[in-house]
Amino acid sequence: MNPRTRMVRSAVIGALLAAMAAVHAEEENPPTGFTDTPRLPNSQWRVHDDNRPRPRIVAPGTSAMNEHSGNPPSDAIVLFDGRNLDAWQSDKGGPAGWKVEHGYMEVVGGSGEIATKQKFGDYQLHVEFAEPSPATGKSQERGNSGVFLAGLYEVQILDSYDNYTYADGQASAIYGQSPPLVNASRPPGEWQTYDIVFNTPRFADGKVKSSGFVTVFHNGVVTQNHTPLLGPSAHHALPVWKPHDLLMPLKLQDHHMPVRFRNIWIRPIADQ
Ligand code: MG
């Protein structure tokens, strides 16, 4: 075989191997996101962009901050202490439809979002949650719930332990906007923590004056660092600002999956 034929043959074999590897990679990680959604403002990425890099995985370790804290700070407003849903109501009005047992509350699929009776502006929020175990479903259909700050801005809850999905939809993402800095998820069935600092957006004359900001520690690991909001969370669409009051209820999402919650408390930040 002359050198030219050998070169062509090895190029063809190389291309075939690359194509086979690409097909294999696609089979292992089928597309979970989108390539036809609108581009986020001032970003190279689209909403739920399938090409957006997935955050690297960090084992959260065991610092004091990420162990379930037991007793909240003395000035905290306790929203759930494992006994009842007195601080909550259904988003649709009427009593909250989730079940309470064994010191936790659990989403009852189809019963709707639950919202705090009390309204809040800027705050520090502590939430503990556990994903269904054993895990079922894939991508967004695996342990999906959410913490809706001001009832509008979702810090995603998802079983992101060994679960491939689009970057801005995994646990601790600002859903549809900002992926977490890292993936600090614990396995399904284990209790996990979100510690959130929320500065609610400000509006004047029907326009946004301050976007609002979100900081999140997931299991004690910072995953959102004073992240500016782009508007209310939306699926498959760009967020669009809607002016709202300074004080708004906090909501938890019913995404038809039995995610559990315990030990939820909030500390409004003074001078708002
Ligand atoms: Mg969700």
Side-chain angles (χ1 to χ4, degrees):
M1 190 184 297
N2 69 41
R4 183 172 162 75
T5 307
R6 188 178 294 127
M7 212 165 71
V8 169
R9 194 178 70 164
S10 69
V12 168
I13 290 171
L16 275 172
L17 287 174
M20 285 166 66
V23 167
H24 182 66
E26 183 136 321
E27 279 170 359
E28 280 200 334
N29 291 318
T32 52
F34 301 88
T35 54
D36 61 349
T37 42
R39 231 174 266 284
L40 291 162
N42 306 316
S43 172
Q44 63 175 305
W45 305 114
R46 298 175 184 278
V47 173
H48 316 318
D49 199 321
D50 198 50
N51 296 313
R52 196 166 187 170
R54 274 58 172 181
R56 67 188 168 89
I57 292 169
V58 171
T62 52
S63 68
M65 190 170 182
N66 69 22
E67 292 304 300
H68 97 89
S69 42
N71 296 316
S74 61
D75 64 349
I77 298 167
V78 175
L79 297 174
F80 181 65
D81 66 0
R83 285 184 286 196
N84 59 61
L85 295 176
D86 289 357
W88 302 82
Q89 58 193 353
S90 169
D91 191 27
K92 302 167 183 166
W98 296 11
K99 73 178 175 188
V100 177
E101 59 182 20
H102 312 303
Y104 57 77
M105 64 161 111
E106 184 176 297
V107 178
V108 173
S111 65
E113 265 74 71
I114 63 170
T116 55
K117 293 175 181 170
Q118 195 171 341
K119 295 176 179 176
F120 306 97
D122 299 337
Y123 49 76
Q124 172 188 355
L125 173 69
H126 177 85
V127 175
E128 298 177 16
F129 64 95
E131 294 292 345
S133 178
T136 58
K138 288 181 175 176
S139 187
Q140 294 293 299
E141 299 303 313
R142 186 143 155 172
N144 197 333
S145 180
V147 179
F148 276 76
L149 309 171
L152 293 167
Y153 312 101
E154 182 181 16
V155 177
Q156 172 72 309
I157 288 180
L158 195 77
D159 180 359
S160 284
Y161 188 87
D162 195 22
N163 178 31
Y164 192 74
T165 193
Y166 47 85
D168 68 22
Q170 71 174 59
S172 195
I174 310 298
Y175 184 78
Q177 303 181 20
S178 303
L181 294 168
V182 294
N183 179 356
S185 294
R186 286 186 163 143
E190 291 190 17
W191 286 102
Q192 307 193 54
T193 55
Y194 279 167
D195 286 278
I196 298 172
V197 181
F198 176 53
N199 298 109
T200 196
R202 264 64 170 181
F203 302 89
D205 305 323
K207 293 194 174 117
V208 62
K209 292 294 176 193
S210 166
S211 69
F213 297 90
V214 180
T215 295
V216 181
F217 290 85
H218 182 190
N219 296 324
V221 178
V222 65
T223 51
Q224 300 288 344
N225 179 12
H226 200 61
T227 305
L229 291 166
L230 304 176
S233 295
H235 175 66
H236 206 264
L238 284 176
V240 179
W241 285 112
K242 279 187 295 187
H244 59 75
D245 293 341
L246 181 70
L247 302 181
M248 297 283 285
L250 169 73
K251 293 184 185 177
L252 299 176
Q253 186 183 36
D254 167 16
H255 207 291
H256 300 267
M257 299 172 206
V259 177
R260 293 172 179 171
F261 293 86
R262 72 177 184 188
N263 199 18
I264 304 175
W265 50 260
I266 194 166
R267 293 184 61 251
I269 295 171
D271 301 317
Q272 58 189 241

mmCIF file of all heavy atoms in Angstrom, residues 144-146 154 156-157 253 255, ligand 1:
data_model
loop_
_atom_site.group_PDB
_atom_site.id
_atom_site.type_symbol
_atom_site.label_atom_id
_atom_site.label_comp_id
_atom_site.label_asym_id
_atom_site.label_seq_id
_atom_site.Cartn_x
_atom_site.Cartn_y
_atom_site.Cartn_z
ATOM 1 N N ASN A 144 -38.606 16.277 41.232
ATOM 2 C CA ASN A 144 -38.747 17.703 40.940
ATOM 3 C C ASN A 144 -39.677 18.380 41.937
ATOM 4 O O ASN A 144 -40.766 17.900 42.222
ATOM 5 C CB ASN A 144 -39.289 17.875 39.513
ATOM 6 C CG ASN A 144 -39.098 19.280 38.952
ATOM 7 O OD1 ASN A 144 -39.026 20.248 39.713
ATOM 8 N ND2 ASN A 144 -39.014 19.375 37.642
ATOM 9 N N SER A 145 -39.212 19.466 42.508
ATOM 10 C CA SER A 145 -40.044 20.376 43.289
ATOM 11 C C SER A 145 -39.372 21.738 43.145
ATOM 12 O O SER A 145 -38.653 21.958 42.157
ATOM 13 C CB SER A 145 -40.150 19.922 44.746
ATOM 14 O OG SER A 145 -40.971 20.825 45.488
ATOM 15 N N GLY A 146 -39.580 22.628 44.077
ATOM 16 C CA GLY A 146 -38.914 23.912 43.951
ATOM 17 C C GLY A 146 -39.282 24.851 45.081
ATOM 18 O O GLY A 146 -40.342 24.716 45.693
ATOM 19 N N GLU A 154 -37.796 30.580 41.042
ATOM 20 C CA GLU A 154 -37.614 29.211 41.534
ATOM 21 C C GLU A 154 -36.149 28.842 41.736
ATOM 22 O O GLU A 154 -35.352 28.868 40.793
ATOM 23 C CB GLU A 154 -38.235 28.199 40.564
ATOM 24 C CG GLU A 154 -38.093 26.760 41.078
ATOM 25 C CD GLU A 154 -38.667 25.697 40.153
ATOM 26 O OE1 GLU A 154 -38.918 25.994 38.968
ATOM 27 O OE2 GLU A 154 -38.845 24.560 40.626
ATOM 28 N N GLN A 156 -34.487 25.630 41.985
ATOM 29 C CA GLN A 156 -34.948 24.298 41.604
ATOM 30 C C GLN A 156 -34.599 23.254 42.665
ATOM 31 O O GLN A 156 -33.488 23.259 43.224
ATOM 32 C CB GLN A 156 -34.312 23.914 40.257
ATOM 33 C CG GLN A 156 -34.528 22.482 39.814
ATOM 34 C CD GLN A 156 -35.958 22.202 39.369
ATOM 35 O OE1 GLN A 156 -36.916 22.507 40.086
ATOM 36 N NE2 GLN A 156 -36.096 21.598 38.211
ATOM 37 N N ILE A 157 -35.559 22.380 42.924
ATOM 38 C CA ILE A 157 -35.301 21.153 43.679
ATOM 39 C C ILE A 157 -35.444 20.009 42.704
ATOM 40 O O ILE A 157 -36.451 19.900 41.990
ATOM 41 C CB ILE A 157 -36.278 21.012 44.860
ATOM 42 C CG1 ILE A 157 -35.928 22.029 45.955
ATOM 43 C CG2 ILE A 157 -36.244 19.589 45.422
ATOM 44 C CD1 ILE A 157 -36.838 21.978 47.170
ATOM 45 N N GLN A 253 -43.177 23.963 45.413
ATOM 46 C CA GLN A 253 -43.790 23.462 44.186
ATOM 47 C C GLN A 253 -44.293 22.022 44.305
ATOM 48 O O GLN A 253 -43.602 21.141 44.819
ATOM 49 C CB GLN A 253 -42.758 23.526 43.046
ATOM 50 C CG GLN A 253 -43.315 23.154 41.676
ATOM 51 C CD GLN A 253 -42.245 23.166 40.598
ATOM 52 O OE1 GLN A 253 -41.100 22.803 40.843
ATOM 53 N NE2 GLN A 253 -42.605 23.607 39.407
ATOM 54 N N HIS A 255 -44.761 19.262 41.889
ATOM 55 C CA HIS A 255 -44.442 18.807 40.536
ATOM 56 C C HIS A 255 -44.784 17.317 40.412
ATOM 57 O O HIS A 255 -44.142 16.568 39.678
ATOM 58 C CB HIS A 255 -42.965 19.064 40.214
ATOM 59 C CG HIS A 255 -42.667 19.252 38.757
ATOM 60 N ND1 HIS A 255 -42.759 18.224 37.838
ATOM 61 C CD2 HIS A 255 -42.286 20.344 38.051
ATOM 62 C CE1 HIS A 255 -42.431 18.681 36.633
ATOM 63 N NE2 HIS A 255 -42.155 19.965 36.737
HETATM 64 MG MG MG B 1 -39.113 22.501 39.994
#
